[in-house]
Amino acid sequence: MDPTALEPAADFRADQLQSSLADSGFTSVTVLDQVDSTNRWLAELAPEAGGAELSAVVTGFQTAGKGRLDRQWFTPPGVALTFSVACSPHTAAGAPWPVEYVPWLTLIMAHSVTHVVRNLVGVPAVIKWPNDVLVDSRKVCGVLASLVSPPDGSAPSAVVGAGLNVSQRHLPVPTATSLLLEAGDAEAVPGRQALLTEILREFARCYHRVSVDPGAELGPGGDVRALLESEVDTLGRRVALHLPGSTVPEQAVAEGLGTSGELLVRGHDGAARALSAGDVVHVRPTPGEPRTAAEQRAIHAIRDVTAGDRA
Ligand code: BT5
């Protein structure tokens, strides 16, 4: 029998995770052999409002992983990274993050995974708005964030989970991929503990940076905003919008990210709109087909903003 099925979390060491993540602000890192959903598990232990600390849970096997909109996340025992982080988004001065910046946590986690996949595995990952990490148009990771509002009406906590396909050779849907399939060689794929450590470090780095001054980092010209925008491959692309309640996809060009990380698009009729819900599917230009004038304009606008931010 496959040993990963018997001890699906055997490669994680809770004590090592705790000690290597303590200086990133993690007060607890829990390892569970198996659980229904790490997001569900951690939401029940959501941190006290106002605490600066982060906590995390990772499992070797998630038996009822959740996606958005009641969809499911499928990963076999022992071969994927499924984990969640809980935080209480407060500024260094002790005030809750302005509520409009809290949704950026999803993109901060997507960035953390993208960063580690690129730097540790050498695979060209990008973010697909709002919550996917893709390699060569295939999904290697999905992120799911939920808010936990305390009954006393105090500021909500957040639980941000990610599922990263690591060593699977067989994926549950044809649009998915794994690090092993992309790297092509098991030697090139770091262990789950190393991947998790680096992802959590990068998440904490961005989270603490934003917490100093969320408006400065995520507002127009903010450094963290610029970093996230540079990885969101959706920007500058033609997109087909599958909007709630509509059966016919609508064509538009993705032009930027709004105050809360919503996708700003411009339709064929020139009308601008901000999307915070609904699925966005990339429309790939056929090979050799030049970008449309609207796409060129969107790309220049994004480059101008990014260049301005860094100046
Ligand atoms: C997501 O939802 O992509 C969010 C997935 C978040 C999973 C993590 S694992 C740790 C934490 N605890 C949880 O319970 N969840 C989080 P969505 O965008 O709705 O995509 C879901 C869709 O992705 C499914 O309907 C499938 O089509 C597809 N899918 C399912 N399993 C997949 C996999 N392993 N790899 C790629 N695609 C998958």
Side-chain angles (χ1 to χ4, degrees):
M1 179 184 263
D2 178 358
T4 56
L6 292 175
E7 284 191 277
D11 50 335
F12 291 109
R13 294 276 171 274
D15 50 349
Q16 285 173 11
L17 286 166
Q18 297 261 24
S19 60
S20 54
L21 289 163
D23 60 3
S24 296
F26 281 89
T27 49
S28 80
V29 183
T30 305
V31 176
L32 301 173
D33 247 353
Q34 75 171 55
V35 70
D36 54 350
S37 152
T38 55
N39 267 35
R40 203 269 321 139
W41 190 87
L42 205 51
E44 291 189 1
L45 302 175
E48 211 176 288
E53 67 274 6
L54 298 164
S55 52
V57 60
V58 61
T59 188
F61 180 37
Q62 205 172 228
T63 55
K66 294 176 195 298
R68 291 179 304 141
L69 309 169
D70 281 334
R71 291 192 283 246
Q72 289 172 297
W73 187 256
F74 301 105
T75 43
V79 291
L81 187 55
T82 45
F83 66 97
S84 301
V85 174
C87 57
S88 165
H90 276 64
T91 65
W97 282 18
V99 65
E100 65 268 28
Y101 296 125
V102 175
W104 285 91
L105 287 168
T106 299
L107 284 174
I108 291 174
M109 181 61 84
H111 151 74
S112 306
V113 174
T114 301
H115 174 87
V116 169
V117 169
R118 284 185 186 187
N119 291 300
L120 227 58
V121 193
V123 164
V126 292
I127 299 173
K128 178 188 160 204
W129 186 92
N131 70 319
D132 292 346
V133 178
L134 306 184
V135 178
D136 201 13
S137 301
R138 280 194 284 270
K139 182 162 171 170
V140 74
C141 168
V143 176
L144 180 69
S146 36
L147 287 184
V148 186
S149 297
D152 65 4
S154 55
S157 306
V159 174
V160 192
L164 173 64
N165 299 323
V166 179
S167 316
Q168 295 104 306
R169 292 192 181 276
H170 304 285
L171 280 308
V173 288
T175 50
T177 190
S178 69
L179 296 181
L180 177 62
L181 293 179
E182 294 304 321
D185 175 7
E187 299 278 296
V189 180
R192 292 189 298 173
Q193 168 126 340
L195 290 165
L196 177 66
T197 304
E198 294 310 315
I199 292 168
L200 293 183
R201 278 206 181 117
E202 182 63 15
F203 181 86
R205 199 182 66 80
C206 291
Y207 175 76
H208 293 310
R209 194 166 164 184
V210 169
S211 293
V212 173
D213 187 345
E217 292 295 338
L218 294 173
D223 284 346
V224 174
R225 164 186 276 267
L227 174 68
L228 302 179
E229 281 178 340
S230 72
E231 290 171 352
V232 179
D233 186 55
T234 317
L235 299 184
R237 286 195 181 276
R238 266 179 290 165
V239 291
L241 311 176
H242 294 257
L243 299 171
S246 159
T247 49
V248 186
E250 208 175 290
Q251 305 289 316
V253 173
E255 290 191 336
L257 298 177
T259 310
S260 298
E262 65 273 36
L263 192 67
L264 306 177
V265 300
R266 192 169 296 279
H268 276 190
D269 54 1
R273 74 185 330 163
L275 297 173
S276 51
D279 277 340
V280 174
V281 176
H282 287 173
V283 178
R284 304 213 138 270
T286 47
E289 185 189 321
R291 290 187 189 262
T292 64
E295 284 180 302
Q296 298 281 12
R297 275 198 303 278
I299 285 167
H300 285 306
I302 292 159
R303 285 201 188 120
D304 288 349
V305 170
T306 309
D309 290 344
R310 292 196 178 131

